[in-house]
Amino acid sequence: MTDFTRTRAFFHLPENLIYMDGNSLGPLPRRDMERLSCTVEKEWGEMLIRAWNRAGWMELPDCVGDRIAGLIGAPKGSVAVGETLSIKVYQALSAALSLRPERKVILSDSGNFPSDLYIAQGLIDMLGRGHQLKIVRPEEVAEEIDAIGEDLAALLLTEVDYRTGRRHDMAALTQRAHRKGALAIWDLAHSAGALPVDVTTAEADFAVGCTYKYLNGGPGAPAFIHVAERHIRHISPALQGWLGHADPFAFESDYRPAEGIARMRVGTPPILQLAALDAALEIWEEVDIHKLRARAIALSELFIARVEARCPMLALASPREPEERGSQVSFRFKEGYAAMQAIIDRGVIGDFRAPDIMRFGITPLYLDEADMEKAARIIADVMNNRLWDAPEYRARAPVT
Ligand SMILES: *Cc1c(COP(=O)(O)O)cnc(C)c1O
């Protein structure tokens, strides 16, 4: 059983603050402080370069990869960790295109995160082989798979929309793509640690994601890539770094890919970030993800009900049906940026996504019913008294 009063104590959270932005940057797990000071002082400080062997630094990406595998329904040894999510999208997409060399279309949707789309465009330009990125509305993806048919190389989708929280049916769309002989790449940035994910049952060919959101790995924490076992030996990696080589310390002049998922490694792993992430992932040993999901839905329903009852000017941007949402609730409001700044000023942290989306992450590891009630009261105060209508709330910061 998961005791959510216990999990709250796992995090360092500032007092008098309701943190509803764990979908963008998870809070600091208390155990990270001890782990990081050990990694810095004892390992880096005392062992110096010997720590690569003595402190298990070289194996750390694999250990972390296996922890993440457990959270996304992937077998051990099928997840590589490192770099950022944008790079992992590049690795997955380039691999998928090379597995389907005759096909030219990549299908994505307008709800996808810009970086995923930019990476796809950049890769197409670099390949110069006439690939096309087709972007349709999320609700049109299924039909479009059938319409493109035999020319579809890969589906490139984010399961949960970063703006609205709308959730795709990963298994159904993957199956549909497979029927046309195409591959499916799923971005789990807003899924891993937010809801039950099973890439094996869904038969996803590739899955990628970041770890600084719901997995609480800290700012700039490394990303992950999962490759289905049926594909891994057929992949010639686009980024052929020395640590993805079969024998890095042979220092051969020619690249030979490592066996298995290790070929998706590129360069030197970020040890401090991995140590922080590894400690943060220990928390999940005590969490039943199905219970977490049920609780996230209950909290979201409460939050939506309270906000809607008091704030008629806020339009729900997330699907009303809980099963069609990820773990965030978004509202549309024309002056959403200013409104969010005023809300943050009063102790409820959410964020804003252009053009008009106010996002609130619902993370049961450290949020409860009392937080939902209090947050809704603060939001209602700001909205009904137009407290956002002040010049200082309109000045845009670089990060929104
Ligand atoms: C957060 C997010 C990213 C960010 O990519 P980075 O390379 O880690 O900065 C990319 N894609 C999606 C879908 C995201 O939600």
Side-chain angles (χ1 to χ4, degrees):
M1 225 197 79
T2 312
D3 177 353
F4 288 103
T5 47
R6 216 175 107 71
T7 58
R8 187 178 179 111
F10 291 162
F11 295 92
H12 169 83
L13 290 160
E15 282 194 27
N16 295 320
L17 192 125
I18 301 174
Y19 192 60
M20 300 182 76
D21 216 354
N23 53 312
S24 212
L25 175 68
L28 171 64
R30 289 183 191 279
R31 65 187 78 205
D32 272 35
M33 298 187 245
E34 200 183 321
R35 175 67 178 268
L36 279 173
S37 76
C38 170
T39 305
V40 169
E41 291 167 26
K42 295 208 175 70
E43 299 177 3
W44 183 14
E46 296 297 322
M47 295 182 196
L48 290 158
I49 199 157
R50 294 170 293 183
W52 285 105
N53 292 320
R54 285 194 199 165
W57 283 0
M58 209 38 122
E59 292 75 44
L60 192 52
D62 299 333
C63 303
V64 169
D66 284 345
R67 286 189 190 275
I68 293 169
L71 289 170
I72 62 168
K76 280 197 160 61
S78 73
V79 174
V81 176
E83 298 80 41
T84 73
L85 177 49
S86 305
I87 302 288
K88 297 291 137 192
V89 170
Y90 185 90
Q91 289 182 297
L93 186 58
S94 55
L97 295 182
S98 69
L99 290 170
R100 292 290 179 273
E102 306 306 324
R103 296 169 174 238
K104 295 291 186 239
V105 183
I106 302 159
L107 178 60
S108 191
D109 70 23
S110 52
N112 207 346
F113 192 79
S115 201
D116 297 40
L117 302 176
Y118 303 160
I119 288 285
Q121 288 158 1
L123 179 60
I124 288 171
D125 291 349
M126 199 208 58
L127 290 173
R129 286 175 33 218
H131 286 97
Q132 182 202 347
L133 173 65
K134 185 132 205 220
I135 302 172
V136 298
R137 284 185 292 135
E139 57 276 19
E140 294 168 341
V141 170
E143 281 172 32
E144 196 60 32
I145 292 171
D146 294 347
I148 300 168
E150 308 293 297
D151 208 21
L152 182 62
L155 201 57
L156 174 64
L157 293 173
T158 297
E159 186 189 17
V160 175
D161 187 308
Y162 74 106
R163 274 186 293 230
T164 62
R166 178 207 36 77
R167 182 186 184 191
H168 273 307
D169 186 336
M170 188 162 128
L173 291 176
T174 300
Q175 203 181 60
R176 212 157 171 141
H178 284 172
R179 276 205 296 268
K180 298 293 170 195
L183 299 173
I185 304 164
W186 286 97
D187 191 326
L188 304 176
H190 296 272
S191 309
L195 35 93
V197 179
D198 193 333
V199 292
T200 305
T201 307
E203 295 184 23
D205 298 285
F206 298 86
V208 294
C210 51
T211 61
Y212 47 80
K213 293 172 182 164
Y214 292 94
L215 297 178
N216 313 305
F224 66 84
I225 181 168
H226 157 76
V227 181
E229 274 172 332
R230 60 187 176 278
H231 296 309
I232 189 76
R233 80 185 70 86
H234 304 295
I235 288 173
S236 170
L239 301 177
Q240 306 190 338
W242 74 301
L243 286 184
H245 190 278
D247 191 0
F249 284 86
F251 295 105
E252 297 168 7
S253 9
D254 292 318
Y255 180 79
R256 285 188 293 130
E259 280 295 310
I261 195 69
R263 69 180 60 184
M264 302 315 271
R265 285 174 74 161
V266 184
T268 304
I271 295 302
L272 299 183
Q273 296 275 196
L274 278 166
L277 174 58
D278 189 44
L281 290 171
E282 282 171 14
I283 290 172
W284 297 93
E285 290 168 12
E286 301 183 40
V287 177
D288 176 335
I289 191 80
H290 296 277
K291 293 217 170 76
L292 177 112
R293 172 67 172 160
R295 190 157 163 73
I297 288 176
L299 294 176
S300 306
E301 292 290 280
L302 174 64
F303 181 66
I304 292 171
R306 293 294 186 266
V307 171
E308 285 194 323
R310 296 183 183 123
C311 307
M313 67 295 276
L314 296 183
L316 185 66
S318 302
R320 193 161 291 281
E321 173 58 47
E323 283 304 324
E324 292 172 16
R325 290 194 301 262
S327 210
Q328 72 183 60
V329 170
S330 305
F331 293 97
R332 279 184 210 284
F333 180 61
K334 193 163 168 293
E335 297 284 350
Y337 181 78
M340 188 54 87
Q341 305 320 304
I343 291 165
I344 293 170
D345 240 9
R346 286 158 183 83
V348 178
I349 299 193
D351 64 17
F352 173 78
R353 286 294 174 265
D356 60 355
I357 296 276
M358 297 166 68
R359 294 197 302 184
F360 298 93
I362 312 288
T363 46
L365 292 180
Y366 47 88
L367 291 174
D368 62 15
E369 286 84 358
D371 294 320
M372 298 300 107
E373 299 279 5
K374 189 171 172 200
R377 278 199 302 276
I378 291 171
I379 294 166
D381 181 38
V382 167
M383 299 311 301
N384 290 308
N385 298 310
R386 290 181 67 94
L387 300 178
W388 52 266
D389 197 0
E392 72 262 31
Y393 293 139
R394 290 212 172 84
R396 293 262 171 131
V399 175
T400 62

